[in-house]
């Protein structure tokens, strides 16, 4: 016997269908075992698939479990935005007007509803220096000179990315990385390598971003929320942009056109978000006897 579970595929960081980063959102994950969630994530073959569940914390509107094709994540950016959009479209009424609270492996994440855009509050970034020898190896894997790396850190925002500022946006767009070497240089617990470069002063968007995660089965993430969160942490740490907001572009190298807006708050928090749009809506059909309490 089969049962039906509502499902949406949402494009994130774009108001135009098929130009953002898709996330598969299973809108009722209650009763599904973790191994079934992982099997569904492997089947969708997207960078992330999420499962909306009942919260265990009374302050939360819902609990989210997030899976890549290979493993479960504590937190991820574009799945958070896409899942928030999906639950609102599905009829969820926030406990607090204008704000959702998501429970996930990283704890509670606040999501601001700002008109037709959603902004998550980024978990507090933790930065670690990258040894010079490792930087040289990473630069070689990216096909660039070591002196092209202007700023660097391994940044943890719930997802960990090796994060590198390159000479400029054009150098970022030209990259043709060696994915096998990127995978080999990615330590356990690290998603991959995110690179960024500034565009000429006075142009929009102000930053070009690319994220490579071959170890996760995602050679290039179209528009990466957590990767952009790590970029935002470096932008703030090294004061690369003086204004309290900026817009990053990501995805054009893989046929997308994502826009990620970052806002630096006076209290030190970082808001990250943008638009989302549903591209697919329907039902998943699962064998009833596979369901049990997770």
């Amino acid at each position: 016997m089969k049962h039906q579970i509502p499902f949406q595929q949402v494009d994130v960081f774009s108001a135009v269908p098929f130009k953002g980063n898709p996330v598969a959102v299973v809108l009722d994950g209650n009763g599904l075992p973790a191994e079934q969630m992982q099997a569904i994530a492997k089947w969708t073959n997207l960078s992330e698939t999420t499962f909306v569940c009942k919260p265990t914390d009374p302050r939360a509107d819902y609990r989210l479990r997030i899976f890549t094709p290979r493993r479960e994540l504590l937190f991820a950016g574009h799945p958070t935005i896409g899942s928030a959009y999906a639950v609102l479209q599905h009829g969820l009424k926030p406990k607090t007007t204008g704000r959702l609270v998501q429970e996930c492996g990283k704890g509670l994440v606040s999501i601001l509803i700002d008109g037709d855009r959603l902004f998550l509050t980024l978990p507090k970034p933790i930065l670690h220096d990258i040894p010079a020898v490792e930087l040289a190896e990473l630069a070689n894997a990216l096909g660039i000179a070591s002196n092209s790396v202007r700023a660097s850190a391994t940044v943890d925002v719930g997802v960990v990315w090796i994060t590198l500022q390159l000479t400029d946006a054009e150098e970022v767009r030209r990259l043709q990385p060696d994915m096998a070497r990127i995978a080999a240089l990615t330590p356990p617990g690290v998603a991959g390598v995110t690179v960024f470069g500034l565009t000429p002063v006075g142009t929009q968007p102000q930053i070009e971003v690319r994220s490579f995660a071959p170890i996760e089965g995602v050679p290039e993430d179209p528009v990466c929320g957590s990767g952009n969160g790590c970029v935002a942490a470096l932008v703030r740490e090294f004061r690369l942009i003086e204004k309290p907001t900026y817009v990053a572009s990501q995805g054009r190298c893989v046929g997308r056109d994502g826009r990620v807006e970052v806002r630096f708050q006076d209290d030190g928090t970082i808001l990250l978000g943008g638009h989302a749009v549903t591209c697919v809506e329907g039902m998943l059909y699962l064998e009833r006897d596979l369901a049990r309490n997770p």
Side-chain angles (χ1 to χ4, degrees):
M1 183 179 294
K2 298 183 183 294
H3 70 295
Q4 302 178 23
I5 299 179
F7 169 88
Q8 290 186 35
Q9 186 165 305
V10 178
D11 243 16
V12 185
F13 301 126
S14 174
V16 180
F18 317 120
K19 287 296 183 181
N21 194 0
V23 58
V25 185
V26 179
L27 286 154
D28 182 5
N30 298 297
L32 291 180
E35 56 266 26
Q36 184 70 357
M37 294 181 178
Q38 186 65 75
I40 293 169
K42 185 177 181 180
W43 171 75
T44 68
N45 201 33
L46 297 175
S47 54
E48 282 96 5
T49 298
T50 67
F51 298 83
V52 180
C53 304
K54 293 178 181 178
T56 61
D57 190 312
R59 295 170 293 177
D61 291 286
Y62 57 91
R63 179 166 64 101
L64 198 69
R65 297 185 69 177
I66 306 166
F67 289 79
T68 74
R70 296 183 179 177
R71 68 183 176 109
E72 185 171 6
L73 301 178
L74 299 178
F75 167 80
H78 100 271
T80 293
I81 297 293
S83 300
Y85 180 84
V87 300
L88 290 171
Q89 294 296 303
H90 194 60
L92 184 143
K93 302 298 181 186
K95 294 178 179 180
T96 302
T97 301
R99 188 173 296 275
L100 287 167
V101 177
Q102 170 188 291
E103 179 185 350
C104 62
K106 194 65 175 176
L108 297 180
V109 177
S110 177
I111 303 163
L112 172 68
I113 304 169
D114 184 7
D116 59 354
R117 292 174 296 173
L118 296 167
F119 290 84
L120 62 85
T121 301
L122 193 72
K124 184 177 180 180
I126 301 170
L127 280 67
H128 297 285
D129 292 337
I130 302 173
V133 172
E134 293 180 18
L135 273 179
E137 292 177 339
L138 286 164
N140 187 264
L142 290 167
I144 59 175
S146 295
N147 61 8
S148 289
V149 179
R150 302 300 178 86
S152 64
T154 297
V155 186
D156 183 353
V157 293
V159 182
V160 184
W161 288 92
I162 297 167
T163 310
L164 310 176
Q165 180 197 6
L166 305 188
T167 305
D168 55 26
E170 186 56 36
E171 183 171 43
V172 170
R173 297 186 194 106
R174 288 197 306 263
L175 289 179
Q176 294 184 332
D178 182 332
M179 292 298 177
R181 294 202 65 196
I182 292 291
L185 292 170
T186 302
V190 177
V193 179
T194 287
V195 299
F196 71 99
L198 301 181
T199 60
V201 175
T203 60
Q204 289 278 359
Q206 292 102 316
I207 289 179
E208 186 76 25
V209 178
R210 294 177 73 182
S211 300
F212 309 112
I215 200 169
E216 296 287 356
V218 185
E220 181 161 359
D221 197 329
V223 198
C224 182
S226 60
N228 272 276
C230 295
V231 169
L234 259 66
V235 169
R236 184 176 65 181
E237 178 75 12
F238 295 103
R239 298 183 179 181
L240 302 177
I241 293 177
E242 295 298 328
K243 294 182 179 180
T245 67
Y246 72 82
V247 176
S249 169
Q250 189 174 5
R252 284 184 285 180
C253 294
V254 289
R256 310 293 175 85
D257 191 19
R259 294 290 186 273
V260 181
E261 184 175 337
V262 172
R263 301 176 180 176
F264 298 113
Q265 304 294 95
D266 291 339
D267 64 0
T269 60
I270 299 172
L271 299 184
L272 181 149
H275 291 93
V277 60
T278 298
C279 296
V280 178
E281 186 169 11
M283 294 288 176
L284 290 181
Y285 294 87
L286 300 178
E287 297 293 337
R288 187 176 296 277
D289 60 2
L290 287 174
R292 62 172 173 78
N293 290 328

